[in-house]
């Protein structure tokens, strides 16, 4: 009992109850806190991430909750081994997928153990906490001390044979989709989810797959195979001639045959360029075989999830609602934008370069042929459980392919071509799998568990385990503003995200993550809400367009499926589309067809308890009405709107006026922290306490555009007494428009970007190497210039020279490093979480991807002792708490600063009162470093409770 008492008095969880003296307090919530203590340290073999509310948290195979023992007496718990990582460049995305799977499948009846394969095919049993890392590089270098390693892959598979009932491989690309891991599992008779090794090899190799497609009567995209560096240029020239392509400028796609669907894919022009880019792919080690394909000009790309719902060995594939992928070019058009393809960055970063439409904007005949073709393909290639199949629709007007009429995929409107088979579809929170599944009634939990339960049907020894309920009841079935639709005791929570700042896409990611995590609690009814941009009149509406009339801004309450979109613009467009009669009728018709196809087989499965996502319409409010609705329902508003009215005190002021509780700091603290100059002034007096500020010079955009650049540069460097400047928006978020300027020419490039309203400055446009710089849209009126602070470069290496281990390289010359630190608590008593050192991978400024996008960026949490001493770290935390309490922060915030690794002094950069809450944000890393650790759903619950407690 002592251990449980310790858990319930977590310094950040308070006294172990969700809201003190609240009638909403539930036994389930208290139990969830108790379970948190039943885990191992990070070195443990495995651990879970769900509370007893959505499924008991599991600490390890050695420490078992007594509820599991009780469950095992009645019927076995299904033990799932989740494997991620791998040698491909998509291992970071694999980590994101595994985290999402873990979040949604764990429960009383299903226990997850986590495993990781590094880039050198070494296997490790890891804690679930490591799945919340931003990228494998966060923990690669310390795996030997944190995880249980296996000497060989054979040892690893032998361990799985006894430790788990079924394996769920979530390795994208090589070793995960090419049959590698499957072959090992088959050798040791370990059951697994997905397609067998031979079929994986055939489908993963794009060249082999295209030959197989042609053999089965499908239209094949004309292609040429480049093998090694010795390819005869004359043969490729002849192929260009046959395809009627210009040998100098003919447009083609060059891609590795075994490199997944986005890594290494390039556009080339002419024979010479094609060979050069093919050789680049080979030289980079991505693949030794490369396909050159004709560019399907004028076509529309689509992707379709196929779900097998047959019994046992009987295959009955049903294709969900396909998604059309529309690529867009915005801002300045350069050659790279014209070469638009659905590459890695467009696929995984939430920018407006790509728009998804589910279902596609094709005719019903074409959509049904896409579904039929993908289903036939799934069967003929002998795929298992689920897959994602990509392809193109070429209208007759641009279709130049020569095919006999017997080829499958020819319709009256044009030709359907299937091009890529993904054996392990991406499973990030808003991936195609969940977008398409939610459209036909599946929650995240329901679709993932359906896939796992279906896989169990192939293995006789798992039949008894598979009779367990699919456990979908813990997930929200409705998002309506309807008090009667949920239990009377459920506390209402409105999660609001979006807006019109440059960080609105990150806001969508944050809000989605909070919404999904809070759904774990039975005592909450969580409703996702979009704060629409002020320019929504472009969509046909004419309200909320006045900047001074914030109450007339539009808020949409969203049904489940509409949240899972790529951008806020997509969510808004989906809302408009959902209430457009013809489009809504088509979607409803298709949804019913798919659900009927699914139910034909699923109704006979004992584990399937039905669909759990209702077919609902979004509901539109004016912001003022929405706040009154929150007051009427006694809801707490969880603010996830980054920048703008969500972070400058405006939304907080409106909510306070109506007495509606909300998360995060109050009005004045928000106003001060939004203004970087005001923040520095408020902290000036703390210089003797180890808190330093950076000198700043504010410039109006108009003045920058109208003055000679050389004069501005000279004036700024003279005033700030520096040679290198850092420029950033004065009142915007922390990730856009931030750049290092080393000379007046750099300033000229930046000013030109402001003048032209560019959405991004392309990599290496400035004098010092850098990645993509996302720009605010519209451009900010005020910009801050300050001296650029040189920090020590930290390199995370996969292998140190002459050593066979991962490690850090740090010279420690300037003695300053960049840190980001979360603070949590009540006003006047804010506590610092463990600081994280932020490591920049490209250039000197953290990119949007490195800050918020899982699979990129490196965060060292806690800072390694080889860089920062325990004493300096403690002093840093004291300084951070002093900053938080001086600024009157409350609830939670994030403080970015430079830290002196010797003294622990901090040089403040900025304070974010609505920090990023994406699935891999540093706040989650830091909460997991607490003792005992706080998993994301518990962390967000605590932040919610802190907001509510202020009003009790």
């Amino acid at each position: 009992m002592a251990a449980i008492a310790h858990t319930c008095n977590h310094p950040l969880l308070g006294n172990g109850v969700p809201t003190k003296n609240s009638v909403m307090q539930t036994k389930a919530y208290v139990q969830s806190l108790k379970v948190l203590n039943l885990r191992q340290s990070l070195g443990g073999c495995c651990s879970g991430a769900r509370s007893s509310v959505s499924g008991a948290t599991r600490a390890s195979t050695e420490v078992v909750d007594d509820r599991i023992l009780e469950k095992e007496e009645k019927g076995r718990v299904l033990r799932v081994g989740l494997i991620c990582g791998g040698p491909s460049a998509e291992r970071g995305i694999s980590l994101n997928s595994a985290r999402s799977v873990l979040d949604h499948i764990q429960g009383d009846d299903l226990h997850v153990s986590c495993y990781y394969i590094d880039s050198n095919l070494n296997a490790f049993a890891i804690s679930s906490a490591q799945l919340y890392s931003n990228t494998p590089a966060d923990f690669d270098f310390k795996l030997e001390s944190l995880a249980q390693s296996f000497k060989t892959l054979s040892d690893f598979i032998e361990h799985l044979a006894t430790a788990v009932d079924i394996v769920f491989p979530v390795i994208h690309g090589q070793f995960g989709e090419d049959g590698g891991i499957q072959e090992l599992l088959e050798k040791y008779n370990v059951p697994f989810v997905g397609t067998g090794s031979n079929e994986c090899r055939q489908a993963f190799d794009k060249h082999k797959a295209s030959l197989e497609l042609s053999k089965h009567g499908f239209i094949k995209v004309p292609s040429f195979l480049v093998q090694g560096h010795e390819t005869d240029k004359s043969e490729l020239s002849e192929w260009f001639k046959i395809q009627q392509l210009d040998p100098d400028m003919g447009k083609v796609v060059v891609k590795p045959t075994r490199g997944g669907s986005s890594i290494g894919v390039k556009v080339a022009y002419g024979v010479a360029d094609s060979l050069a880019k093919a050789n680049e792919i080979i030289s980079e080690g991505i693949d030794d075989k490369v396909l050159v394909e004709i560019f399907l000009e004028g076509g529309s790309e689509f992707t379709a999830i196929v779900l097998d719902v047959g019994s046992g060995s009987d295959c009955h594939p049903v294709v969900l609602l396909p998604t059309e992928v529309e690529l867009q070019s915005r801002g300045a058009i350069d050659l790279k934008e014209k070469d638009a393809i659905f590459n890695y960055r467009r696929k995984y970063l939430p920018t407006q370069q790509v728009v998804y439409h589910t279902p596609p904007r094709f005719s019903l005949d074409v959509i049904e042929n896409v579904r039929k073709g993908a289903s036939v393909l799934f069967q003929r290639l002998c795929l298992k459980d689920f897959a994602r199949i990509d392809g193109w629709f070429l209208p007759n007007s641009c279709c130049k392919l020569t095919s006999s009429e017997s080829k499958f995929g020819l319709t009256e409107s044009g030709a359907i071509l299937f091009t890529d088979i993904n054996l392990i579809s991406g499973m990030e929170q808003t991936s195609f799998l969940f977008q398409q599944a939610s459209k036909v009634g599946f929650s995240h939990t329901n679709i993932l568990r359906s896939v796992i339960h279906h896989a169990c049907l192939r293995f006789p020894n798992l039949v008894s385990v598979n009779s367990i309920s699919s456990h979908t009841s813990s997930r929200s079935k409705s998002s309506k503003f309807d008090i009667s639709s949920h239990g009377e005791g459920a506390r209402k929570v409105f999660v609001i995200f979006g807006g019109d700042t440059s960080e609105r896409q990150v806001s969508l990611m944050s809000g989605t993550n909070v919404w999904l995590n809070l759904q774990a609690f039975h005592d909450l009814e969580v409703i996702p809400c979009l704060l629409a941009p002020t320019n929504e009149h472009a969509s046909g509406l004419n309200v909320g367009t006045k900047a001074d009339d914030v109450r007339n801004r539009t808020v949409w309450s969203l049904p489940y499926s509409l949240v899972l979109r790529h951008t806020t613009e997509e969510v808004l467009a989906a809302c408009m589309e959902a209430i457009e009669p013809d489009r809504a009728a088509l979607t409803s018709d298709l949804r019913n067809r798919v659900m009927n196809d699914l139910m034909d087989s699923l109704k006979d499965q004992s584990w399937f308890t039905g669909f759990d996502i209702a077919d609902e319409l979004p509901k539109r409010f004016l912001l003022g009405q929405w706040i009154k609705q929150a007051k009427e329902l006694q809801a707490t508003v969880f603010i996830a709107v980054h920048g703008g009215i969500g972070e400058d005190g405006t939304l907080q002021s409106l909510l306070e006026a109506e007495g509606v509780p909300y998360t995060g700091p109050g009005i004045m603290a928000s106003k001060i922290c939004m203004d970087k100059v005001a923040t520095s002034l408020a902290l000036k007096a703390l210089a003797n306490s180890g808190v330093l500020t950076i000198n700043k010079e504010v410039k109006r955009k108009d003045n920058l555009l109208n003055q000679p650049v050389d004069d501005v540069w000279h004036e700024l460097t003279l005033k700030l007494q520096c040679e290198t400047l850092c420029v950033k928006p004065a009142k915007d978020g922390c990730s856009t428009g931030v750049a290092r300027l080393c000379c007046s020419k750099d300033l000229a490039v930046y000013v030109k970007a402001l003048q032209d309203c560019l959405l991004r400055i392309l990599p290496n446009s400035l004098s010092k190497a850098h990645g993509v710089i996302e720009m605010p849209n519209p451009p900010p009126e005020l910009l801050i210039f300050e001296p650029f602070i040189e920090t020590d470069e930290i390199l995370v290496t996969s292998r140190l020279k002459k050593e066979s281990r991962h490690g850090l390289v740090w010279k420690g010359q300037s003695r300053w490093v960049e840190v980001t630190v979360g603070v949590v608590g009540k006003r006047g008593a804010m506590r610092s979480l463990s600081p994280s050192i932020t490591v920049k991978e490209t250039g000197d400024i953290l990119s949007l991807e490195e800050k918020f996008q899982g699979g990129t960026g490196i965060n060292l949490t806690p800072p390694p002792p080889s860089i920062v001493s325990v004493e300096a770290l403690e002093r840093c935390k004291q300084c951070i708490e002093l900053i938080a309490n001086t600024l009157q922060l409350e609830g939670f915030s994030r403080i970015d600063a430079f830290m002196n690794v010797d003294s622990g002094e901090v040089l403040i950069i900025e304070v974010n009162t609505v920090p990023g809450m994406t699935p891999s944000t540093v706040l989650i890393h830091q909460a997991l470093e607490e003792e005992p650790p706080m998993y994301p759903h518990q962390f967000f619950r605590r932040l919610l409770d802190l907001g509510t407690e202020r009003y009790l």
Side-chain angles (χ1 to χ4, degrees):
M1 292 303 293
I4 291 178
H6 173 70
T7 302
C8 290
N9 286 286
H10 193 295
L12 296 183
L13 288 175
N15 60 1
V17 294
T19 51
K20 194 173 182 180
N21 300 323
S22 170
V23 294
M24 302 302 177
Q25 176 183 342
T26 65
K27 181 180 178 182
Y29 183 77
V30 176
Q31 281 296 98
S32 70
L33 300 185
K34 293 177 181 178
V35 173
L36 273 175
N37 196 46
L38 299 175
R39 67 173 303 280
Q40 281 184 319
S41 65
L42 278 177
C45 176
C46 56
S47 33
R50 280 294 173 210
S51 71
S52 62
V53 180
S54 66
T57 301
R58 302 297 179 250
S60 70
T61 53
E62 297 173 6
V63 182
V64 183
D65 188 346
D66 56 1
R67 281 167 296 172
I68 294 184
L69 298 177
E70 182 182 337
K71 186 79 180 177
E72 286 180 337
E73 290 173 6
K74 299 177 181 177
R76 276 189 56 209
V77 172
L78 184 65
R79 301 171 302 164
V80 177
L82 190 61
I83 307 178
C84 64
S88 86
E90 290 185 277
R91 58 185 169 274
I93 303 303
S94 168
L95 191 68
N96 298 347
S97 291
R99 173 175 58 240
S100 183
V101 172
L102 175 71
D103 273 349
H104 297 290
I105 67 172
Q106 181 121 302
D108 287 323
D109 57 346
L110 191 152
H111 170 52
V112 183
S113 299
C114 303
Y115 302 93
Y116 173 72
I117 307 289
D118 73 6
S119 56
N120 298 308
L121 295 183
N122 298 307
F124 300 86
I126 62 173
S127 74
S128 60
Q130 286 167 278
L131 291 188
Y132 295 94
S133 300
N134 199 40
T135 169
D138 285 351
F139 61 80
D140 259 341
F141 70 97
K142 50 186 176 182
L143 270 172
E144 292 174 7
S145 61
L146 281 185
Q148 174 193 339
S149 62
F150 298 92
K151 290 184 179 179
T152 65
L153 285 175
S154 295
D155 290 342
F156 170 50
I157 303 300
E158 285 179 0
H159 162 82
L160 292 175
T162 57
V164 304
D165 297 310
I166 190 166
V167 167
F168 198 150
V170 190
I171 300 175
H172 302 309
Q174 295 171 20
F175 194 65
E177 295 182 85
D178 62 3
I181 186 70
Q182 292 82 1
E183 185 175 15
L184 282 169
L185 293 168
E186 287 165 351
K187 182 179 178 181
Y188 288 87
N189 296 314
V190 178
F192 62 90
V193 174
T195 300
S197 60
N198 288 333
E199 293 78 13
C200 280
R201 273 191 291 272
Q202 190 77 13
F204 184 68
D205 187 306
K206 293 180 178 64
H207 180 60
K208 289 181 181 179
S210 68
L211 296 177
E212 197 69 15
L213 280 169
S214 185
K215 188 174 80 176
H216 287 295
F218 289 85
I219 303 172
K220 174 180 172 292
V221 181
S223 62
F224 180 88
L225 181 65
V226 176
Q227 298 190 72
H229 294 279
E230 307 303 322
T231 299
D232 190 337
K233 186 176 180 180
S234 62
E235 292 180 14
L236 183 58
S237 297
E238 182 62 25
W239 180 82
F240 263 71
K241 183 178 178 182
I242 293 170
Q243 303 305 325
Q244 299 179 358
L245 293 171
D246 186 302
D248 297 318
M249 289 301 294
K251 193 174 181 181
V252 294
V253 176
V254 182
K255 57 186 179 183
T257 62
R258 295 165 296 187
S261 59
S262 55
I263 298 294
V265 182
K266 306 167 188 269
V267 170
Y269 292 85
V271 176
D273 190 31
S274 300
L275 273 180
K277 286 179 175 167
N279 287 330
E280 280 178 21
I281 292 171
I282 295 168
S283 299
E284 290 168 8
I286 297 173
D287 200 352
D288 58 1
K289 294 194 297 180
V290 178
L291 275 184
V292 179
E293 294 181 345
I294 65 169
F295 191 99
L296 299 174
E297 201 80 63
S300 298
E301 193 169 359
F302 65 80
T303 185
I305 297 293
V306 190
L307 187 66
D308 187 1
V309 293
S311 298
S313 58
D314 294 333
C315 182
H316 181 193
V318 174
V319 180
L320 307 184
L321 291 188
T323 298
E324 176 190 355
V325 179
E326 180 190 9
L327 296 178
Q328 295 187 334
S329 295
R330 292 169 180 265
I333 303 295
D334 68 343
L335 184 61
K336 293 182 181 179
E337 291 296 328
K338 291 177 181 176
D339 289 346
I341 53 175
F342 192 39
N343 59 17
Y344 186 87
R345 189 171 192 273
R346 288 186 171 94
K347 184 178 290 187
Y348 296 115
L349 182 68
T351 65
Q352 288 181 263
Q353 292 177 279
V354 63
V355 176
Y356 301 140
H357 304 277
T358 308
R361 298 166 301 173
F362 307 155
S363 68
L364 185 60
D365 172 55
V366 171
I367 294 173
E368 283 299 272
N369 272 283
V370 166
R371 294 188 63 229
K372 180 182 176 183
S375 175
V376 171
L377 194 55
F378 188 95
Q379 270 187 306
R380 292 186 180 174
L381 295 181
C382 300
L383 308 185
K384 296 288 189 292
D385 300 327
F386 77 124
R388 194 186 89 229
I389 297 177
D390 303 337
W392 288 77
F393 170 63
L394 292 178
N396 287 327
S397 58
C398 62
C399 185
K400 299 177 182 177
L401 300 175
T402 55
S403 301
S404 66
E405 292 185 3
S406 62
K407 288 286 186 181
F408 185 91
L410 290 175
T411 71
E412 291 184 4
S413 308
I416 297 166
L417 299 89
F418 295 100
T419 55
D420 287 285
I421 295 127
N422 300 273
L423 288 312
I424 300 177
S425 173
M427 285 168 274
E428 294 181 294
Q429 286 183 345
T430 58
S431 66
F432 293 124
L433 173 67
F434 301 124
Q435 285 185 31
Q436 296 180 21
S438 65
K439 277 287 188 183
V440 295
F442 285 106
S443 66
H444 287 64
T445 297
N446 202 359
I447 188 66
L448 289 170
R449 280 177 163 252
S450 294
V451 168
I452 292 169
H453 283 299
H454 180 269
C456 288
L457 295 175
R458 293 199 303 277
F459 306 99
N461 61 316
L462 294 181
V463 172
S464 61
V465 184
N466 203 37
S467 63
I468 298 167
S469 162
S470 64
H471 192 73
T472 60
S473 59
S474 68
R475 294 295 168 183
S476 172
K477 298 182 176 66
S478 175
S479 300
K480 288 183 178 178
F481 286 98
D482 183 358
I483 302 174
S484 63
S485 68
H486 290 257
E488 290 184 7
R491 192 209 306 181
K492 307 298 184 290
V493 180
F494 294 176
V495 180
I496 186 167
F497 47 83
D500 49 13
T501 74
S502 55
E503 286 190 280
R504 61 192 177 278
Q505 317 307 359
V506 176
S507 171
L508 174 60
M509 294 167 65
S510 291
T512 301
N513 190 42
V514 170
W515 162 64
L516 286 171
N517 271 281
L518 289 181
Q519 284 187 82
F521 298 94
H522 284 304
D523 64 327
L524 300 178
E525 176 190 348
V526 190
I527 300 159
C529 304
L530 173 75
L531 175 64
T534 52
N535 63 348
E536 69 173 9
H537 58 280
S539 303
L541 297 176
N542 194 27
V543 295
T545 57
K546 294 183 179 179
D548 60 348
D549 195 4
V550 179
R551 286 181 175 274
N552 284 338
R553 294 282 298 271
T554 300
V555 177
W556 292 84
S557 74
L558 303 171
Y560 195 112
S561 66
L562 292 196
V563 186
L564 307 177
R565 296 301 176 114
H566 197 59
T567 63
T568 55
E569 288 76 15
E570 264 187 68
V571 177
L572 180 59
C575 288
M576 302 305 298
E577 195 174 83
I579 59 177
E580 195 279 313
D582 291 343
R583 180 69 176 173
L586 173 65
T587 302
S588 180
D589 178 42
L590 284 167
R591 172 188 165 96
N592 291 333
R593 292 188 191 197
V594 175
M595 292 177 77
N596 289 334
D597 290 347
L598 289 165
M599 280 305 293
D600 283 345
S601 291
L602 289 177
K603 68 179 187 295
D604 298 323
Q605 307 296 344
S606 60
W607 47 265
F608 186 68
T609 58
F611 301 105
D612 59 336
I613 299 298
D615 186 14
E616 300 173 348
L617 293 176
K619 189 170 182 180
R620 183 171 149 261
F621 297 84
L622 297 181
L623 180 58
Q625 296 172 333
W626 179 82
I627 292 173
K628 288 187 181 297
Q629 183 79 45
K631 180 180 181 179
E632 185 180 323
L633 296 178
Q634 296 183 310
T636 299
V637 173
F638 200 118
I639 300 176
V641 178
H642 301 313
I645 70 168
E647 208 163 350
D648 66 4
T650 302
L651 184 55
Q652 290 81 358
S653 178
L654 293 173
L655 291 166
E656 282 198 20
E658 293 291 340
V660 176
Y662 59 88
T663 57
I667 301 168
M668 286 309 299
S670 298
K671 282 183 178 178
I672 290 170
C673 294
M674 187 64 170
D675 186 328
K676 297 178 179 69
V677 175
T679 305
S680 288
L681 291 173
L683 299 174
K684 266 284 194 222
L686 301 181
N688 293 330
S689 301
V691 177
L692 310 175
T693 56
I694 305 172
N695 291 330
K696 294 174 170 58
E697 186 70 20
V698 180
K699 285 281 184 183
R700 297 195 64 83
K701 179 192 71 174
D702 293 344
N703 292 340
L704 288 173
L705 298 180
N706 295 323
Q707 285 182 266
V709 170
D710 287 340
D711 292 351
V712 175
W713 179 262
H714 179 71
E715 177 195 337
L716 288 170
T717 50
L718 191 64
K719 277 188 178 180
L720 295 171
Q721 297 183 331
C722 63
E723 295 181 359
T724 306
L725 297 173
C726 180
V727 61
K728 61 183 72 170
K731 295 182 179 181
D732 204 353
C734 60
S735 61
T736 52
V738 184
R740 179 181 185 176
L741 308 178
C742 297
C743 58
S744 60
K745 289 182 180 178
D746 288 349
L747 177 60
V749 171
Y750 192 90
V751 170
K752 179 68 174 169
L754 294 173
Q755 185 176 23
D756 294 343
C757 299
L758 296 187
L759 292 181
R760 65 195 65 87
I761 296 176
L762 295 174
N764 303 322
S765 298
L766 305 177
S767 58
K768 199 171 188 302
H770 65 87
V772 173
I773 300 171
E774 299 287 341
M775 295 296 288
N777 183 34
E781 291 303 315
L782 296 174
L783 293 121
I784 288 176
F785 292 88
E786 56 190 30
F788 182 83
I789 307 298
E790 291 282 357
T791 57
D792 288 329
E793 185 178 32
I794 301 171
L795 298 176
V796 179
T797 62
S798 57
R799 288 195 181 278
L800 289 173
K801 292 180 180 179
K802 299 181 182 179
E803 295 187 42
S804 59
R805 62 182 178 84
H806 300 279
L808 293 173
V809 175
W810 175 64
K811 294 181 180 178
Q813 294 173 335
S814 79
R815 312 306 291 170
W816 289 90
V817 295
E818 187 173 344
V819 296
T820 185
V821 195
V823 288
V824 180
K826 298 181 179 181
R827 190 185 304 180
M830 296 293 283
R831 282 193 64 250
S832 169
L833 299 176
S834 172
S836 300
I837 293 180
T838 54
V839 179
K840 297 171 282 289
E841 294 186 296
T842 54
D844 298 291
I845 305 293
L846 282 174
S847 67
L848 187 68
E849 293 101 321
E850 290 170 332
K851 272 187 179 289
F852 299 111
Q853 183 64 25
T856 56
I858 300 170
N859 296 294
L860 306 180
T861 312
S866 59
I867 297 178
V868 183
S869 69
V870 175
E871 295 76 20
L873 195 59
E874 217 31 61
R875 176 81 192 286
C876 170
K877 291 173 73 172
Q878 291 170 6
C879 291
I880 293 296
E881 289 173 358
L882 180 60
I883 292 167
N885 293 320
T886 300
L887 293 172
Q888 293 287 287
L889 300 180
E890 57 188 311
F892 72 114
S893 295
R894 195 189 76 235
I895 298 174
D896 297 336
F898 300 106
M899 176 180 65
N900 186 289
V901 298
D902 299 317
S903 67
E905 289 179 307
V906 297
L907 180 59
I908 190 74
I909 300 173
E910 62 189 355
V911 179
N912 300 278
T913 54
V914 183
M917 292 167 277
T918 61
S920 56
T921 181
V922 291
L923 284 181
I924 289 177
H925 307 174
Q926 293 172 10
L928 285 164
E929 282 298 319
E930 289 293 296
E931 190 55 51
M934 283 192 294
Y935 281 89
H937 65 295
Q938 289 289 349
F939 181 57
F940 292 130
R941 177 63 186 248
R942 179 56 182 151
L943 304 184
L944 175 70
D945 291 342
L946 282 168
T948 304
E949 286 169 5
R950 285 191 302 207
Y951 284 79
L952 293 177

